[in-house]
Amino acid sequence: MRRLVLFVSENADLYMLLAHILNREGFRTALVSEDEVLERAAAGDVTALILDSAEGSDLVLRVCAAIKASERTSQIPTVAIVPSGDERHYLALLKAGIDENFVRPISPARLLAYLDSLNPFDTSDHHPTDEAQETKVTIGPLRVEARRRLVSHGDNEVQFGPIEFNILSRLLHAPGRVCSRSELIEAAWPGGRYVQPRTVDVHVGRLRRALERLTGRTLIRTIRSTGYAIELDNAAGWSMLR
């Protein structure tokens, strides 16, 4: 089955343009309203949700908050298409839980690269339940399932969005070592993107809080003016995810 991308937008021309491009590249697309987006997102296997914020930031913030607040949909990557030059709007979306922002005029090639990075397995050729697809390792107190971006501790688990999981993966490659923001940008975002340092800080903050809720410990520490590091009791086994 082709991967499904949901759109929330009042701009029919933008939707038709992006839908044409995505459909040609093997995606399915659907335009949904604010009233139906939560039910539609929870009903099936959705690759991503694209929110057009040019028509009103309040709507996008409400939709993003609803998606991230539901256990059934919180793991769905959310993408905002934002107007250029509005820093406050951009940061408000990040704090609301948006996983990625694309500034107008949007580059279809970059959007496609991001969507492709969300699921490296082609569902037409692979089966998610195949044993070969399941990469599960234990790193210190954490159990990590890379394919599902799932991290477990004891009887609890959390599924991360792609940016947070990529940041976590980079930190776990060398626990205790300080990773600069530029290293985290290179690891977590598609190539060729300009990512502000503040954006990295917001995503790391979300990752840190999620790990604290999961483990009851503060695992990620900030090294002022340098970057971030993760502290674990035992880091053996992470190389299996490479």
Side-chain angles (χ1 to χ4, degrees):
M1 182 179 294
R2 296 191 301 166
R3 290 170 288 173
L4 175 62
V5 177
L6 299 180
F7 284 80
V8 177
S9 175
E10 297 178 3
N11 187 330
D13 291 336
L14 175 66
Y15 168 70
M16 293 299 293
L17 171 64
L18 293 179
H20 173 74
I21 294 170
L22 295 182
N23 293 161
R24 189 178 60 191
E25 296 297 325
F27 291 89
R28 293 180 295 139
T29 58
L31 182 64
V32 296
S33 69
E34 179 183 0
D35 293 336
E36 63 183 327
V37 61
L38 189 61
E39 180 179 358
R40 185 66 183 274
D45 186 13
V46 177
T47 293
L49 173 63
I50 297 179
L51 308 175
D52 178 18
S53 67
E55 300 298 333
S57 60
D58 289 343
L59 181 148
V60 175
L61 291 171
R62 288 196 305 270
V63 171
C64 182
I67 290 292
K68 295 303 181 182
S70 171
E71 291 184 1
R72 300 174 65 190
T73 59
S74 61
Q75 79 281 2
I76 297 175
T78 53
V79 179
I81 300 174
V82 302
S84 60
D86 191 345
E87 181 71 11
R88 288 176 300 176
H89 179 55
Y90 176 75
L91 291 177
L93 288 168
L94 281 177
K95 292 177 179 178
I98 284 288
D99 292 293
E100 184 60 286
N101 288 283
F102 286 87
V103 178
R104 290 174 178 268
I106 186 171
S107 166
R110 289 183 176 178
L111 176 60
L112 283 168
Y114 176 77
L115 294 175
D116 283 336
S117 74
L118 300 179
N119 183 4
F121 302 109
D122 184 347
T123 56
S124 64
D125 296 325
H126 298 80
H127 299 283
T129 57
D130 287 351
E131 184 177 353
Q133 300 286 352
E134 301 291 344
T135 305
K136 301 179 182 179
V137 296
T138 298
I139 311 98
L142 305 177
R143 297 186 303 279
V144 181
E145 184 180 341
R147 187 184 62 79
R148 296 172 59 200
R149 304 191 302 273
L150 191 71
V151 179
S152 305
H153 180 267
D155 296 328
N156 301 317
E157 63 183 29
V158 61
Q159 187 169 33
F160 289 101
I163 298 297
E164 278 82 18
F165 188 81
N166 289 341
I167 291 173
L168 177 61
S169 299
R170 183 65 186 86
L171 293 172
L172 286 172
H173 275 302
R177 176 184 175 276
V178 179
C179 292
S180 67
R181 289 175 178 82
S182 61
E183 289 180 275
L184 297 179
I185 290 171
E186 182 179 356
W189 277 266
R193 292 293 311 280
Y194 171 71
V195 180
Q196 300 180 18
R198 174 58 176 156
T199 301
V200 180
D201 296 339
V202 171
H203 282 285
V204 171
R206 281 157 48 178
L207 174 61
R208 177 190 281 125
R209 289 190 294 273
L211 290 174
E212 287 177 352
R213 290 193 297 270
L214 179 67
T215 67
R217 297 174 50 195
T218 300
L219 300 182
I220 297 177
R221 60 188 177 94
T222 303
I223 292 78
R224 186 174 181 181
S225 303
T226 304
Y228 299 93
I230 191 166
E231 301 291 349
L232 297 174
D233 297 330
N234 180 7
W238 182 253
S239 60
M240 294 173 63
L241 286 179
R242 299 187 67 175

